[in-house]
Amino acid sequence: MSRRPLWTGAIALLLALGPAAEAWGGRPLDTEDTGTVEPGRAELELSGDYARNPTDNSWFAKGVLSVGVLPGLETRIESTVLLLEPEGASARAGVGDSLFGVKYRLVDETDAVPALLGALTVRLPTGDPERGLGTEDADVGLLAVASKAFGPVTLTGNVGYTFVTRERDLDFWTLAASIEGRMSRAWTLVGEAVSAVGAHSAVRTVVLRVGSIYAITDRVKLDGAVGFGVTRESPDVVITVGVTIGLF
């Protein structure tokens, strides 16, 4: 297999999984926000995702557990089960790669200053690379995040870099921007643009996504979003639905 298909498949999978740049975002977006779980509390995110790619259809079931450690400091572990339907080949399913991450809010938002946050994530090779359910070795992602609220509207931007340890020529940058608008106490509308650009090649993916969040209670939120790829290396369509539950 040539290097280009490997690169294209890897980036398309990362975008479909929701961790462009091997990071996490506030559901249902991939763009990371500057919020963190309060110390001593935990949050569970469960979701189902579908991605239609140029060469296959992919289904994902994900679970993400976030724990607040200190004020502004959060750790997170993510596990995924995949069902891949490659074009011209039999379907295969199993556990995919996992993510472990830490994020820390360096600066709290004020009237004049945006909130600033840094994140570190490591992709753990828990999937089977021979079956296309994962990749070898661990990748490391670094991310810088800034966000600012303007009344009911919040703007957020991300810049990140991922070190692909198995093949450094596959390193890539991530650029993302999102907008969130609170329509009522329960409803929030969201949108974003997420891109991954090869550090050593011209390959790039761009996904535009729109969605909404509905808060059933202070501890339970439902969400859903649909995204569309802009470049030929991007997934054609990405759909996600999920729930976020405050555990304690």
Side-chain angles (χ1 to χ4, degrees), residues 25 27 85 100 150 169 209 220 227:
R27 286 208 50 82
E85 299 177 325
F100 173 78
F150 300 90
D169 285 346
R209 179 181 282 109
V220 180

Side-chain angles (χ1 to χ4, degrees), residues 204-225:
R204 62 186 181 277
T205 63
V206 180
V207 172
L208 304 180
R209 179 181 282 109
V210 294
S212 64
I213 303 168
Y214 180 74
I216 299 177
T217 68
D218 291 340
R219 289 195 172 189
V220 180
K221 298 179 181 179
L222 303 178
D223 65 74

